[in-house]
């Protein structure tokens, strides 16, 4: 095998991710135009508030619902490719059934596991108690939503991929600081969230790399790939299905059912995967295809990834919205999270997935931008586990940045395995080596720029919007 064929795949995968990001920008254009319309509509409502005697509370709720609805559509349409693109590209599921499956999984994750992140954003970033009972409470969160929506719209327009989670955290901190002073911002919580943004891509990289090594050592490079696949893949998918089923039962507060339901899910996953592997071996006994062997595992990861995405990203909408809709102290707590808010936010994300996700998945699921099936499975599962863990602690994270961490982990793991087997590639020209190094650095710089730029910009936008909204609403 030539050196150029075996040379490190990390740069190739990062290049595909770059193409996927470009595809996201083009596919996101209809939602971007909708975002501009939303901002104009909200600006009109604020103008009406300033020029008339209309009740500020009603206009605040109306504007909050409009901006939150658009943010949900943007999240659902832009992030669906993270979970569905590889599975559609591998033929594990059709596009329309996949969109429906991801939308339902995301809605389930929003309702069952979205309350922790939602509560953190509603009450953990800024201390709103000094405004207890005042009309300013919902306006602070409206300002945060407008700031996040404005930055996402502007950044998308200039081709800069940014995170909704980062944007909403910055918007809340800036709006709260403008209304209550810097002392109202929970700087310790803000620092913890920012540190998690750094740690989670590393965790995902370790998990994805470890999973890739397991697959390669035990299945893909085994002397008898068919027998190895029959031994390991059903067990792996069974473990995934069983653990996820137990997790859902615990979320439903049904601990007594966790073990039996997990056992049933594991048994069903094992039987289904074993049947699919046997069918593949019957058709291709000498060289079973990796893509076809991994279809059941990819499909399982689609469900878990969609659930994780809903669990974490719903808080970006439901957190501020819960404060807007219930902007007063209730039993000593501000912005309690009603289930209806989680359902509404989850439905907006699902709507974005169903109505605007098709074009993006087609682009990202194509042969140009799609990752290798095995690597895509490792990245998807590692991303889902990392995001679900963060959601359990109520910490908003960027799904895309976590996935890029998984890409790095998979690339480094493959390089380590190749060096271990002394499969060193031929030396490349100095210009090509330098170009590949620059590709890696550019992705690190992109992620770091998103962390360093989004938070202060949305904080400033949140502060300015908060001052504007409070001034407009002043009697």
């Amino acid at each position: 095998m030539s050196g150029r064929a075996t040379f490190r795949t990390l740069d190739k995968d990062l290049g595909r991710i770059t193409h996927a990001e470009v595809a996201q920008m083009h596919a996101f254009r209809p939602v971007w135009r909708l975002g501009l319309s939303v901002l104009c509509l909200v600006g009109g409502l604020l103008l009406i508030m300033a020029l008339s005697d209309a009740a500020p509370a009603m206009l605040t709720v109306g504007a909050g619902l409009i901006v939150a609805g658009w943010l949900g559509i943007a999240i659902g349409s832009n992030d669906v490719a993270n979970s569905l693109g590889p599975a559609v590209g591998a033929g594990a599921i059709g596009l329309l059934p996949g969109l429906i499956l991801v939308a339902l999984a995301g809605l389930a994750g929003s309702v069952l596991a979205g309350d922790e992140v939602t509560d953190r954003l509603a009450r953990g970033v800024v201390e709103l108690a000094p405004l207890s009972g005042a009309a300013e409470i919902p306006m602070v969160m409206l300002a945060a939503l407008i700031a996040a929506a404005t930055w996402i719209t502007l950044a998308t327009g200039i081709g800069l991929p940014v995170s909704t989670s980062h944007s909403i955290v910055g918007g809340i901190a800036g709006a709260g600081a403008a209304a209550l002073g810097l002392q109202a911002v929970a700087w310790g919580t803000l620092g913890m969230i920012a540190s998690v943004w750094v740690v989670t891509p590393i965790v995902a990289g370790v998990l994805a790399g470890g999973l890739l090594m397991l697959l390669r050592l035990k299945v893909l490079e085994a002397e008898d790939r068919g027998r190895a696949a029959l031994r390991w893949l059903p067990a792996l998918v069974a473990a995934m299905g069983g653990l996820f089923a137990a997790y859902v039962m615990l979320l439903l507060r049904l601990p007594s059912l966790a073990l039996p339901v997990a056992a049933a899910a594991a048994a069903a996953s094992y039987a289904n995967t074993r049947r699919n592997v046997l069918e593949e071996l019957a058709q291709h006994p000498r060289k079973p295809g990796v893509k076809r062997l991994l279809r059941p595992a990819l499909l399982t990861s689609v469900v878990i990834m969609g659930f994780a995405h809903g669990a974490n990203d719903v808080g970006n909408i439901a957190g501020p919205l819960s404060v807007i809709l219930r902007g007063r102290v209730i039993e000593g707590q501000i912005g309690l999270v009603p289930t209806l808010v989680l359902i509404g936010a989850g439905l907006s994300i699902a709507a974005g997935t169903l109505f605007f996700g098709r074009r993006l998945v087609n682009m990202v699921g194509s042969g140009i931008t799609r990752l290798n099936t095995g690597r895509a499975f490792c990245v998807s599962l590692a991303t889902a586990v990392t995001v679900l863990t963060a959601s359990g602690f109520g910490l908003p994270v960027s799904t895309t940045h976590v996935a890029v961490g998984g890409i790095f982990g998979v690339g480094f793991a493959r390089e380590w395995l190749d060096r271990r087997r002394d499969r060193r590639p031929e030396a490349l020209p100095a210009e090509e080596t330098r170009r590949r190094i620059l590709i890696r650095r550019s992705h690190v710089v992109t992620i770091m720029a998103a962390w360093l730029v989004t938070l202060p910009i949305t904080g400033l936008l949140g502060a300015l919007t908060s001052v504007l909204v409070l001034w407009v609403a002043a009697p």
Side-chain angles (χ1 to χ4, degrees), residues 57-76:
M58 293 300 297
L59 290 177
T60 300
V61 169
L65 288 172
I66 292 171
V67 179
W70 177 77
L71 280 175
I73 291 174
I75 291 170

Side-chain angles (χ1 to χ4, degrees), residues 12-13 15-20 23 84-91 291 359-373 375-376:
K12 182 192 298 183
D13 288 346
R16 286 168 171 167
I17 289 295
T18 300
H19 292 155
L84 189 58
V88 171
K291 181 187 296 186
R359 184 180 178 192
L360 181 57
V361 173
N362 272 332
M363 285 181 170
V364 177
S366 69
I368 297 175
T369 60
R370 168 177 94 239
L371 297 179
N372 165 280
T373 305
R375 299 198 293 276

Side-chain angles (χ1 to χ4, degrees), residues 165-188:
S165 299
H166 297 180
S167 301
I168 200 66
V169 169
I172 293 173
L180 292 163
L182 293 174
Q183 71 280 358
V185 179
W187 295 106

Side-chain angles (χ1 to χ4, degrees), residues 141-408:
M141 286 301 182
L142 173 61
L145 283 174
I146 294 174
T150 301
W151 173 236
I152 291 169
T153 303
L154 291 175
T156 302
I158 63 177
L160 177 65
V162 295
S163 165
T164 308
S165 299
H166 297 180
S167 301
I168 200 66
V169 169
I172 293 173
L180 292 163
L182 293 174
Q183 71 280 358
V185 179
W187 295 106
T189 299
L190 202 60
M192 178 179 62
I193 292 173
S195 65
V196 168
W197 291 342
V198 177
V199 170
T200 46
I202 298 174
V203 172
V206 172
L207 291 175
L211 188 58
L212 179 77
M213 286 192 282
L214 174 66
L215 281 177
R216 277 193 56 172
L217 294 174
K218 298 299 183 181
V219 178
L220 303 182
E221 295 182 356
E223 292 185 5
D224 189 338
R225 179 186 289 182
R227 180 179 297 179
L230 198 60
R231 176 186 302 169
W232 285 96
L233 291 183
L236 177 62
V237 177
M240 291 166 52
L243 290 173
F244 182 64
Y247 173 70
V248 172
M249 289 298 103
L250 293 176
L251 288 175
L252 293 172
R253 294 177 174 82
L254 298 171
S256 60
L257 294 179
L259 186 58
V261 171
S269 300
Y270 185 92
N272 180 62
T273 306
R274 182 178 175 83
R275 183 180 68 253
N276 287 326
V277 172
L278 287 173
E279 289 176 356
E280 172 62 19
L281 294 178
Q283 296 176 10
H284 307 88
R286 293 188 175 181
K287 193 175 182 181
V290 175
K291 181 187 296 186
R292 292 182 293 270
L293 286 175
L294 287 176
R295 280 177 181 172
L298 264 178
L299 195 56
T300 304
S301 71
V302 165
V303 176
I304 299 176
M305 183 71 171
F307 188 95
H309 179 250
N312 200 273
D313 278 24
V314 73
N316 298 328
I317 311 160
L321 194 58
S322 65
V323 177
I324 292 173
L325 296 178
R326 304 182 69 176
R328 62 190 187 278
V329 176
I330 305 175
E331 297 177 358
Q333 293 183 333
I334 291 177
L336 294 178
V337 186
T339 303
L340 283 178
V341 175
L342 292 174
I343 293 175
L347 285 173
S348 68
I349 295 176
T353 297
L354 290 174
F355 295 130
F356 296 99
R358 176 186 295 269
R359 184 180 178 192
L360 181 57
V361 173
N362 272 332
M363 285 181 170
V364 177
S366 69
I368 297 175
T369 60
R370 168 177 94 239
L371 297 179
N372 165 280
T373 305
R375 299 198 293 276
F377 165 69
C378 296
V379 171
S380 297
L381 184 58
T383 302
V385 171
T386 304
V387 172
L388 276 179
T389 303
S391 302
F393 288 99
L395 299 169
V397 296
S398 169
T399 307
T400 301
H401 292 173
V402 174
V404 171
I407 294 290
F408 272 91

